[in-house]
Amino acid sequence: MTAASIRARVRAEMTEGIKAAARRQLAADGADLSLRAIARELGMVSSAIYRYFASRDELLTALIVDAYNALGTAAERAEAEVARDDLLGRWLATCHAVRDWALANPHEYALIYGSPVPGYRAPEDTIPPASRVPVLISGILRDGYAAGRLPAESGEPLPESLRPELTTVAEQIGAEVPPALMARGMTAWLQLFGAVSFELFGQLNNVIEDRAAFFAYQMRAVARVVGLPD
Amino acid sequence: MTAASIRARVRAEMTEGIKAAARRQLAADGADLSLRAIARELGMVSSAIYRYFASRDELLTALIVDAYNALGTAAERAEAEVARDDLLGRWLATCHAVRDWALANPHEYALIYGSPVPGYRAPEDTIPPASRVPVLISGILRDGYAAGRLPAESGEPLPESLRPELTTVAEQIGAEVPPALMARGMTAWLQLFGAVSFELFGQLNNVIEDRAAFFAYQMRAVARVVGLPD
DNA sequence: CGCATTTTGAGAGCACTGCTCTTGACGTGT
DNA sequence: ACACGTCAAGAGCAGTGCTCTCAAAATGCG
């Protein structure tokens, strides 16, 4: 019993050590992490890593899941600190938490929101961690709608063809949000990650210098589109 | 004279051939293009490529510039076909041209709007090609504002601190657009590329199936925020 | 305890990569 | 006719992901 659990614990620690080294190398050198370099840093031989991860892709998947979870945790923490009835505050807290985490961990952000790595295909188990931020946003919408402070329909009318689909999305995410409101929520979602990605991937270079102010403005603007009350 | 120009022409053709092979391989296999594979496809040896491109990065830069230009051309063509006073039509034509080009050339799109490649740093000469779509959007705003059909201020008020910066952006791009309108134009710009990137990078998998309808809705919605008249 | 089984790390090796350098051939200008 | 500049080829270096084999260590069981 103890013996088995000891071995299991050592194995878990080793796995975590490999991921930590990979993250370090990711933060330092950039995106294309090398198994051999990780092994070197850990003082072992490259083939030994294959005892813990079947392939480079599997390591990458583990890092991706971790990154989604780290981002999700950061966002949830920040959002939870705001008074429940301050809908705009909850949205802005989420936005800034996402941006702050992305700026602090640019390469991990690129891993999850950048272009997919060549041969790589995301497995199913990345879906729940990936949907933590969307779930958070949906929660704000749900609370606002339940309190009668967010209109179901507003702005651009949602085409009929999209209604069933967005109803399904709301159901999957477990939030009772009408489809047209859900669609505006996705507008906000796109705007949030579009803004962060553009800033991080250099598209704002030589264009906008005061990124923080620009980001805050954009997130307030989209909050207005969603209908979040001040 | 003729001799020199002949040699120059042959050289230009060879350069173009290498880029074409690189694009082919990019479209087929994915992002991490290999110089040796390109050379193999062209029936030459890898070292010969270095007569035309000093490094892999230089080839990459050439491909990036080409991609920006191809996207810019596609967008400009589509936008030019719409009547000048149909501002919404011009915006939507631009959006759909960008999306269509991205869907037809996903790997080239990833090259320019995805996460930047590890060691790579974009040189100055990518800036003009990269700003062709923004220039196009600004042109729509300029025409609308000049005709009195687009309000300078609308929606979320632009903070004073951002005004000088956005005035500079409008100046650089050579379009007489007031800063607050320019800021809304950037909202649209973010939304456009955010939507295309999310679709292409798989963030909409298992979420939205009717991507075309969703995209059209989002672009109409942001057009409303900008203030484009129907 | 002692033996069998499983787990682990090391090392060699394969096919591949970007890149450099040297060598030899070819076309051109004086 | 000779010299020069351009070009492609080949060998080679250091690096990569990954597979395989082998020995050592840790573990489970009678």
Side-chain angles (χ1 to χ4, degrees):
Chain A
M1 179 73 187
T2 16
S5 64
I6 275 188
R7 190 163 60 191
R9 218 197 56 198
V10 167
R11 191 167 217 291
E13 276 172 15
M14 195 71 216
T15 307
E16 208 51 50
I18 293 173
K19 288 199 291 185
R23 259 189 296 269
R24 253 192 313 273
Q25 191 178 316
L26 210 62
D29 293 355
D32 51 353
L33 75 165
S34 143
L35 286 191
R36 297 181 111 109
I38 295 170
R40 229 175 289 132
E41 183 178 328
L42 269 66
M44 65 204 291
V45 109
S46 75
S47 59
I49 292 194
Y50 286 83
R51 298 279 169 199
Y52 301 89
F53 295 94
S55 67
R56 190 174 168 276
D57 272 12
E58 202 173 279
L59 211 193
L60 231 43
T61 301
L63 292 176
I64 286 173
V65 169
D66 284 4
Y68 273 127
N69 278 323
L71 174 62
T73 304
E76 285 164 13
R77 281 237 178 82
E79 196 263 358
E81 282 185 5
V82 181
R84 293 295 85 189
D85 62 348
D86 181 5
L87 301 176
L88 180 61
R90 286 166 68 185
W91 160 248
L92 292 177
T94 305
C95 293
H96 287 102
V98 168
R99 176 168 178 266
D100 290 347
W101 185 89
L103 289 178
N105 309 278
H107 292 108
E108 287 190 75
Y109 180 87
L111 210 58
I112 55 184
Y113 287 103
S115 26
V117 244
Y120 183 78
R121 208 188 61 82
E124 294 293 313
D125 48 355
T126 62
I127 296 178
S131 45
R132 286 175 65 174
V133 171
V135 164
L136 206 55
I137 299 174
S138 307
I140 302 173
L141 301 183
R142 187 227 313 125
D143 292 356
Y145 179 67
R149 300 172 65 200
L150 272 176
E153 312 276 336
S154 144
E156 180 72 17
L158 183 67
E160 283 307 316
S161 66
L162 282 171
R163 297 197 107 84
E165 191 143 35
L166 283 160
T167 307
T168 310
V169 172
E171 279 169 9
Q172 282 178 339
I173 237 164
E176 285 190 22
V177 177
L181 178 53
M182 198 70 204
R184 300 206 303 285
M186 296 195 64
T187 301
W189 181 52
L190 288 177
Q191 190 76 3
L192 166 55
F193 286 97
V196 173
S197 294
F198 259 34
E199 176 174 353
L200 237 71
F201 297 166
Q203 229 74 32
L204 257 39
N205 290 352
N206 309 316
V207 181
I208 297 291
E209 295 310 314
D210 191 350
R211 275 88 189 259
F214 179 73
F215 180 77
Y217 163 78
Q218 291 291 348
M219 293 308 106
R220 285 182 180 276
V222 76
R224 190 179 287 261
V225 173
V226 173
L228 291 173
D230 306 88
Chain B
M1 178 74 188
T2 17
S5 64
I6 276 187
R7 192 158 56 193
R9 216 196 58 199
V10 168
R11 192 167 217 291
E13 275 171 16
M14 195 70 216
T15 306
E16 209 51 51
I18 293 173
K19 288 199 292 186
R23 260 190 295 268
R24 254 193 312 273
Q25 190 179 318
L26 210 61
D29 293 353
D32 51 354
L33 76 164
S34 141
L35 286 188
R36 295 181 112 111
I38 295 169
R40 227 176 291 132
E41 183 178 326
L42 282 123
M44 65 208 277
V45 110
S46 75
S47 58
I49 293 193
Y50 287 83
R51 297 272 167 205
Y52 301 90
F53 295 94
S55 68
R56 190 173 169 276
D57 272 12
E58 202 172 279
L59 210 194
L60 229 44
T61 301
L63 291 176
I64 287 174
V65 169
D66 283 4
Y68 272 128
N69 278 322
L71 174 62
T73 304
E76 285 165 11
R77 280 235 180 80
E79 196 263 359
E81 280 185 3
V82 181
R84 293 297 84 190
D85 62 349
D86 181 4
L87 300 177
L88 179 62
R90 287 166 67 185
W91 160 248
L92 292 178
T94 305
C95 293
H96 287 102
V98 168
R99 176 170 178 266
D100 290 347
W101 185 88
L103 289 179
N105 310 278
H107 291 107
E108 287 189 75
Y109 180 87
L111 210 58
I112 55 183
Y113 286 103
S115 27
V117 243
Y120 183 77
R121 210 187 61 82
E124 293 294 314
D125 49 355
T126 62
I127 296 179
S131 45
R132 285 175 65 176
V133 171
V135 164
L136 206 55
I137 299 174
S138 308
I140 302 174
L141 301 184
R142 187 226 313 125
D143 291 356
Y145 180 68
R149 300 171 65 201
L150 271 176
E153 312 277 335
S154 146
E156 180 72 17
L158 183 68
E160 284 307 315
S161 65
L162 281 171
R163 296 197 109 83
E165 193 145 31
L166 283 160
T167 307
T168 309
V169 172
E171 280 169 7
Q172 281 177 339
I173 237 164
E176 284 189 23
V177 177
L181 178 54
M182 199 69 205
R184 300 205 303 284
M186 296 195 65
T187 301
W189 181 53
L190 288 178
Q191 190 75 3
L192 166 56
F193 285 98
V196 172
S197 293
F198 260 34
E199 176 173 355
L200 237 72
F201 298 165
Q203 229 73 32
L204 257 42
N205 290 352
N206 308 318
V207 182
I208 297 292
E209 296 310 315
D210 192 349
R211 274 87 190 262
F214 180 74
F215 180 76
Y217 163 78
Q218 291 292 350
M219 293 307 106
R220 284 181 182 278
V222 76
R224 191 179 286 261
V225 173
V226 172
L228 291 172
D230 306 85

